[in-house]
Amino acid sequence: MTGSVVSPVLIGRDDEIAVLRAAYEGSRAGIPATLLVSGEAGIGKSRLVATAVGDLPGDPLVLSGGCLELGSEGTPYVPFVAVLRDLVRRLGRDRVAALLPPGGAALGDLLPDLGPAPARYGPARLLEEMLTLLGRAAETRPVVVLVEDLHWADASSRELFAYLARNLAGVAVLLVGTVRTGELAAGHPNRRTLAELGRSDAVSRVDLGPLEHRHVAALLAAADGRPPDPARSVRIHRRSGGNPLFVEALSTAGETPPGDLRTLLLARVTDLPDPAREALEAMAVAGAELDDDLVSAVAGGPGRDLGHALGHLTERELVVARENGYAIRHDLIREAVYDALPPPRRRRMHARYAAALADRAAPAGPAAGGTALAEHWTAAGEFARALPAAWHAADRAGRQNAYDEQLHLLELVLEHWPKAPEPARLIGADRTVVLERAATAAFNAGRSAAGVAYGTAALDELDPAAEPERAARLLGLRGRLQSRIDGGGRDDLRRAVELAPPGASEELRGRLLSALAFVEFMAFDLDDCRRHAARALELADRLGDDALRAPALLVLGALHGTHGELEEAAGAFAEARRAADAAGDAHTFLTTFQWESTFLGDAGRYEEAVELARTGQEVAERLGQARSRGSMLANTRGVPLVYLGRWDEAMRVVDDALALAPPPLYAAFLRLIAAEIAHRRGQTELGGTLLRQVTEFAMHTVGAAEAKSWLALLRLDRALGQDDLGAADHVVGEHLPTAAGRWPPQETARFAVLGARVQRARRAAAPRNRRVADETADRLAALARMLGSLRTETPVMDAYRRTFRALTEGGELAAWDEAAAAWRDLGNRYETAVVLVEAAGAALASNNRPGARSRLREARAIADDLGAAPLRARIDDLAARGRLTDDAAPPGEGGGAARAFGLTRRELDVLRLLAGGRTNQRIAAELFISANTVATHVTRILTKLGAASRTEAAAKARESGLLDAPP
């Protein structure tokens, strides 16, 4: 099996090359350009990119790096290290260093040639330096950055690639990534990242499909140098499925090729001489490019010259020679060779490769071998060597802010801890220390559930009496992690503060007090919250520590906002943002946008709230936190959009955020927005599904008071809309005793208004029931006291108070008009329409038909524009009951039968209510007429139907179809 079948030209990919070249020309014009090339293994992604890039005009600087399957979870920034090395090789170290900030660059952590990195730097600095470096390099010639095998990207590389894709604007840089389809399980973070990138207008996709038969025939002809045999090309096309790599393998397999395609690839290896096969196996085990020395160290032997073997492999086109060494030409070949190795031999080769890496890294210290060393010692079963390598690599990853990779390495240490002799001696730390660091890494990586588990395991091994400060740190960490999951964590944080009394470390105590104040604010325990936040700020000011000052100011700003003190809140949030930025505290920095936007919305400054939340979302994306803080900012942006009546825009924001699979608490808030809109639009099934999802979350969640309050309000509004007054009143009774102390002021005020509507409806449904009258009077009095206890003064609270007064204090038309004007001035269109309908009812009750008609006309226009079908139905029903339409019974609404019996529209309305079992008094109230008028209508109905009683009239109405149509 000799010779080459690699085509000298790329065949069948003209359209795809055109897309890549168009993206490149766009980047040269300053248009942000990222290209994702995807397809199955062997389909020709790398060949396509190499061919297209090699023929681009303008002499672009092409920088490339690839992600590795082995160690992909634990080695940060793998492809970008190669990109940096490429850049230094092309431009020279001094020129590249001149493009970086003076005084030390974070990129020095990736490539020591660039000089020592600062001792500490924020998580965004390395990302920003890479963006700046590429932009400056592109000032003299276009740049193409190629990242191969994004499906294997480590978390840090994934974040950096996405960061560049979002921020490469106005510079001549084309970013290209290749992705193997079918490699990622559902929910894999790389799948989420690729989906997020796919939604950007700046990202183009090239999905490579199989070659057609004519292209397979042309490929065989180009490789063989002669016209193909038609029958043979048909067979190869059918068996290969149009995959170029399999076409290549089948073209030399003879007439009876092996059964599966992986075996077919291995058939090209079986007849290799021993030195060549061992060199190929060494490269398969390494999973990376190897230079001559490493190939010799792993595959060589005494007196063995591998030069001939490597030449043999390149001639067979199994291996390609690159600037720095050799690599297997295709991952499918590497995987086939690796999988075919017997386990004992595989372990021996991993051990030899790890030993070679260790020898090379030895002069640079224990951390220099990195994750690859840990992974290969692990694969070799050499756990006594794997643990210290993983431990030191985890420390390095933490210094680089590569927290996902740090956590993976610490998990590797914990997993293999029992397999190594005296593991604590090997790494110089006991298991509790490893658990503590794993919990901290999980916190920094946003893996809250894992962090709680590791923190709990560490606490189980500690004696708080013997080590109170250490226990306090862990309890504080676990409390903060739990807060991120469900808003809980108060008990842990209170216990932590108790364990760290004033005589303890002031830095630790300040951090714990800020965290406790944060959680207390989320639980609306405002008095303790204010006390703890103020104490934390005192400590921060005394220490001059922005890292402590930022979260304390954040909470104090929120307390001002809760009481409607917006100017004071804005000042505190601005100072918190400054301190958080100086300290590199991205979480607090982004939360200032979220909370300030929330309070602007609570004050009715909806447009400002939307824009501030949008800005926060953009910053979250830039900092690589689109899924975590960005999704919560999406919620903060969506809420005022709902109030403004921009429901379609709100749903786009919600859908985009949910597509990122945000943490459970954030997802619950987003679903509540969607459920609110579904309820108002009458999408009963969708709304019910969303409510069930949020209810399931709430049932298994401690804390999350704000989400639970919103859920209760939605349940109450839904029951009221379905005329299920028993269920609605049950919700009122369930939350009336505690809402004022546990809910935000705005939600409490809304609860009072909805509760008052429930009591009015209950009283109207049973006007002569003394028990109901007493119960509703007690409920209304309690709701009034609750509303009166709120001290927050904002235009929104004023609108709720005016609405409550109109509902409970006589319901004069002027009071309703004041409430409607308050909502109208805020721009809250839905609430404006709801109150207008209630105002129209008050006008009808006083026989002000023109006033009722004008108010319903405005409400109807709003309901039509919003697509609020249930509200529109209420408007139409009220118009019909109030005789604000013509009096003839219309066709299609029982009209044919009504005309046969000579019934008017008003008589038909009375008949429907009569058949529903209403008394004359109830009918009078619903139709805004007197009880005497109802009696007259009933007499006429009985006469026209020839019925002797109300029961007989109802039966005849049903039989004749008078009740079939909706009112």
Side-chain angles (χ1 to χ4, degrees):
M1 184 170 147
T2 59
S4 167
V5 293
V6 177
S7 169
V9 294
L10 186 67
I11 292 172
R13 302 300 189 193
D14 292 346
D15 292 344
E16 291 84 352
I17 287 178
V19 172
L20 192 149
R21 287 179 176 164
Y24 171 73
E25 292 299 343
S27 72
R28 293 179 73 190
I31 301 171
T34 298
L35 188 70
L36 295 178
V37 180
S38 61
E40 66 180 22
I43 205 67
K45 300 180 290 296
S46 298
R47 180 80 187 276
L48 168 77
V49 173
T51 300
V53 167
D55 196 31
L56 292 175
D59 188 27
L61 180 64
V62 180
L63 311 172
S64 61
C67 306
L68 303 178
E69 182 178 15
L70 183 65
S72 62
E73 293 182 89
T75 309
Y77 302 111
V78 169
F80 291 100
V81 172
V83 165
L84 280 174
R85 191 176 291 118
D86 227 355
L87 186 62
V88 169
R89 185 168 57 248
R90 304 291 181 83
L91 301 184
R93 180 207 169 280
D94 292 343
R95 188 174 168 192
V96 172
L99 301 177
L100 292 169
L107 290 175
D109 254 345
L110 303 190
L111 195 65
D113 286 353
L114 298 178
R120 290 181 61 188
Y121 52 88
R125 176 165 175 177
L126 191 146
L127 280 63
E128 291 168 352
E129 284 186 9
M130 180 64 82
L131 177 69
T132 302
L133 180 61
L134 293 175
R136 289 179 177 172
E139 290 173 358
T140 55
R141 61 193 281 203
V143 173
V144 177
V145 178
L146 170 60
V147 178
E148 294 262 29
D149 298 318
L150 270 174
H151 47 278
W152 287 330
D154 58 276
S156 297
S157 297
R158 178 173 69 237
E159 180 182 350
L160 179 49
F161 188 93
Y163 178 84
L164 294 175
R166 288 190 296 265
N167 294 285
L168 278 171
V171 294
V173 178
L174 172 63
L175 182 63
V176 182
T178 66
V179 184
R180 187 196 294 187
T181 54
E183 286 296 303
L184 303 176
H188 192 286
N190 284 358
R191 183 184 288 275
R192 288 197 298 268
T193 299
L194 295 171
E196 178 188 351
L197 287 169
R199 289 194 297 272
S200 169
D201 293 338
V203 177
S204 303
R205 294 293 297 262
V206 172
D207 298 314
L208 290 184
L211 297 176
E212 299 174 14
H213 168 248
R214 61 191 176 93
H215 295 140
V216 169
L219 189 154
L220 292 170
D224 295 343
R226 62 179 184 275
D229 172 27
R232 177 170 175 260
S233 67
V234 167
R235 285 197 306 273
I236 289 178
H237 175 257
R238 184 176 62 248
R239 182 132 195 269
S240 68
N243 184 300
L245 183 66
F246 297 152
V247 170
E248 172 189 329
L250 285 163
S251 69
T252 57
E255 292 302 311
T256 57
D260 64 88
L261 290 168
R262 180 156 292 204
T263 304
L264 186 64
L265 293 173
L266 280 175
R268 304 183 62 198
V269 176
T270 53
D271 64 341
L272 286 171
D274 287 347
R277 189 175 64 256
E278 289 182 19
L280 189 66
E281 290 170 348
M283 283 181 260
V285 165
E289 183 178 307
L290 297 183
D291 58 27
D292 294 275
D293 291 340
L294 281 174
V295 174
S296 298
V298 183
R304 175 174 287 181
D305 179 11
L306 289 179
H308 181 70
L310 291 171
H312 198 73
L313 291 171
T314 54
E315 287 173 10
R316 290 277 191 102
E317 288 164 342
L318 292 166
V319 166
V320 291
R322 296 175 178 165
E323 271 188 82
N324 293 315
Y326 300 88
I328 295 178
R329 187 168 66 85
H330 199 284
D331 278 323
L332 280 182
I333 299 172
R334 185 193 66 76
E335 291 163 14
V337 172
Y338 184 84
D339 291 345
L341 281 171
R345 179 170 176 76
R346 188 187 303 164
R347 285 194 296 273
R348 285 196 301 272
M349 296 200 76
H350 274 295
R352 289 163 70 178
Y353 182 56
L357 285 179
D359 288 344
R360 179 168 288 189
T371 307
L373 194 56
E375 297 282 1
H376 284 286
W377 281 130
T378 300
E382 297 277 358
F383 302 112
R385 295 177 172 180
L387 258 63
W391 178 251
H392 293 302
D395 185 62
R396 180 181 177 84
R399 221 178 71 78
Q400 296 173 337
N401 302 301
Y403 300 117
D404 282 277
E405 293 82 357
Q406 181 188 26
L407 179 59
H408 169 74
L409 289 159
L410 293 169
E411 287 174 332
L412 188 150
V413 172
L414 290 168
E415 179 185 357
H416 300 300
W417 187 268
K419 302 173 186 175
E422 300 184 72
R425 181 186 59 78
L426 288 171
I427 68 169
D430 61 26
R431 185 171 178 274
T432 310
V433 172
V434 183
L435 288 166
E436 283 184 83
R437 292 202 187 176
T440 303
F443 179 87
N444 291 326
R447 301 265 300 279
S448 300
V452 168
Y454 290 126
T456 300
L459 283 164
D460 288 344
E461 297 185 2
L462 277 182
D463 178 4
E467 299 181 274
E469 287 196 24
R470 189 177 182 190
R473 274 198 309 273
L474 272 168
L475 282 165
L477 178 60
R478 189 173 69 176
R480 294 164 71 198
L481 286 159
Q482 194 64 49
S483 173
R484 288 187 179 182
I485 294 172
D486 58 18
R490 267 193 299 176
D491 290 344
D492 273 350
L493 284 159
R494 285 173 175 168
R495 176 70 176 137
V497 170
E498 291 172 2
L499 285 171
S505 160
E506 289 194 327
E507 186 273 336
L508 170 61
R509 186 167 173 77
R511 191 166 69 247
L512 293 173
L513 285 167
S514 286
L516 178 56
F518 182 98
V519 173
E520 286 169 336
F521 176 78
M522 297 302 293
F524 304 105
D525 182 359
L526 300 187
D527 290 337
D528 284 345
C529 168
R530 183 180 298 278
R531 181 165 52 84
H532 291 139
R535 181 64 182 135
L537 185 59
E538 287 176 19
L539 288 170
D541 287 341
R542 186 158 70 235
L543 295 171
D545 190 337
D546 277 331
L548 294 177
R549 186 179 289 114
L553 285 164
L554 170 72
V555 174
L556 291 170
L559 288 166
H560 285 303
T562 299
H563 293 100
E565 302 160 356
L566 293 189
E567 296 307 315
E568 295 87 343
F573 284 133
E575 179 59 18
R577 257 196 293 277
R578 184 210 62 75
D581 188 38
D585 180 356
H587 183 273
T588 299
F589 184 76
L590 292 171
T591 304
T592 64
F593 288 97
Q594 176 195 332
W595 285 6
E596 186 171 3
S597 174
T598 297
F599 293 120
L600 286 170
D602 287 348
R605 292 158 62 174
Y606 300 136
E607 294 285 1
E608 293 175 66
V610 169
E611 289 309 308
L612 186 62
R614 187 201 309 276
T615 300
Q617 268 192 285
E618 292 170 354
V619 175
E621 285 196 9
R622 184 171 62 81
L623 295 176
Q625 295 197 28
R627 176 178 172 268
S628 51
R629 303 310 299 169
S631 60
M632 199 60 198
L633 281 156
N635 165 75
T636 308
R637 179 178 164 197
V639 171
L641 287 172
V642 172
Y643 296 148
L644 289 166
R646 289 155 57 179
W647 293 354
D648 290 338
E649 184 179 348
M651 284 306 304
R652 286 194 295 272
V653 171
V654 167
D655 289 341
D656 287 347
L658 285 174
L660 300 177
L665 179 62
Y666 302 169
F669 277 111
L670 292 163
R671 290 191 177 101
L672 281 166
I673 293 176
E676 187 90 59
I677 293 173
H679 166 61
R680 293 180 177 185
R681 282 181 163 165
Q683 298 167 326
T684 307
E685 185 175 349
L686 173 60
T689 299
L690 290 163
L691 272 183
R692 284 192 296 274
Q693 291 173 336
V694 180
T695 301
E696 178 71 18
F697 164 80
M699 286 172 59
H700 298 92
T701 299
V702 178
E706 190 171 354
K708 290 179 180 180
S709 67
W710 194 354
L711 176 61
L713 290 169
L714 196 48
R715 286 172 51 217
L716 176 54
D717 203 9
R718 185 180 171 91
L720 187 58
Q722 294 171 344
D723 205 27
D724 189 348
L725 300 182
D729 189 56
H730 176 77
V731 177
V732 173
E734 181 182 359
H735 296 285
L736 185 54
T738 57
R742 296 182 182 175
W743 291 9
Q746 181 167 304
E747 276 76 359
T748 306
R750 184 183 174 195
F751 177 68
V753 168
L754 289 174
R757 286 180 176 137
V758 172
Q759 305 318 311
R760 276 171 55 96
R762 291 181 67 210
R763 184 65 185 271
R768 294 186 174 182
N769 188 315
R770 176 53 56 189
R771 179 183 59 80
V772 171
D774 291 343
E775 287 177 359
T776 55
D778 289 344
R779 285 271 203 256
L780 287 171
L783 289 165
R785 287 193 299 272
M786 180 186 71
L787 186 59
S789 71
L790 302 177
R791 296 290 173 259
T792 302
E793 298 293 339
T794 66
V796 173
M797 295 297 289
D798 179 63
Y800 276 123
R801 290 187 175 104
R802 290 178 184 275
T803 306
F804 186 83
R805 284 196 294 271
L807 283 163
T808 59
E809 297 178 7
E812 297 295 329
L813 186 57
W816 283 114
D817 286 344
E818 286 179 8
W823 290 115
R824 191 185 293 111
D825 290 345
L826 287 167
N828 191 322
R829 303 183 68 207
Y830 183 80
E831 290 296 341
T832 301
V834 169
V835 173
L836 282 168
V837 174
E838 292 169 321
L844 281 171
S846 62
N847 206 27
N848 181 355
R849 297 166 61 78
R853 185 177 283 110
S854 66
R855 288 162 179 80
L856 286 184
R857 187 181 300 118
E858 182 184 352
R860 174 69 192 237
I862 294 172
D864 285 343
D865 191 42
L866 295 178
L871 179 58
R872 191 165 51 214
R874 283 177 55 199
I875 293 167
D876 292 346
D877 176 60
L878 182 58
R881 290 188 290 113
R883 290 189 295 172
L884 301 179
T885 56
D886 63 64
D887 199 45
E893 290 190 12
R899 285 194 302 277
F901 288 106
L903 295 175
T904 66
R905 177 193 288 275
R906 176 55 74 192
E907 288 167 352
L908 189 58
D909 290 338
V910 171
L911 178 58
R912 286 195 179 99
L913 296 172
L914 180 152
R918 263 66 158 200
T919 64
N920 283 5
Q921 289 79 8
R922 178 74 184 277
I923 294 171
E926 292 198 28
L927 296 182
F928 305 99
I929 54 180
S930 69
N932 288 337
T933 302
V934 173
T936 301
H937 283 308
V938 171
T939 300
R940 289 174 180 170
I941 290 167
L942 295 178
T943 300
K944 290 179 179 183
L945 295 182
S949 67
R950 297 163 73 99
T951 303
E952 185 180 351
K956 283 194 172 187
R958 292 188 182 92
E959 291 169 3
S960 58
L962 284 165
L963 308 179
D964 290 346

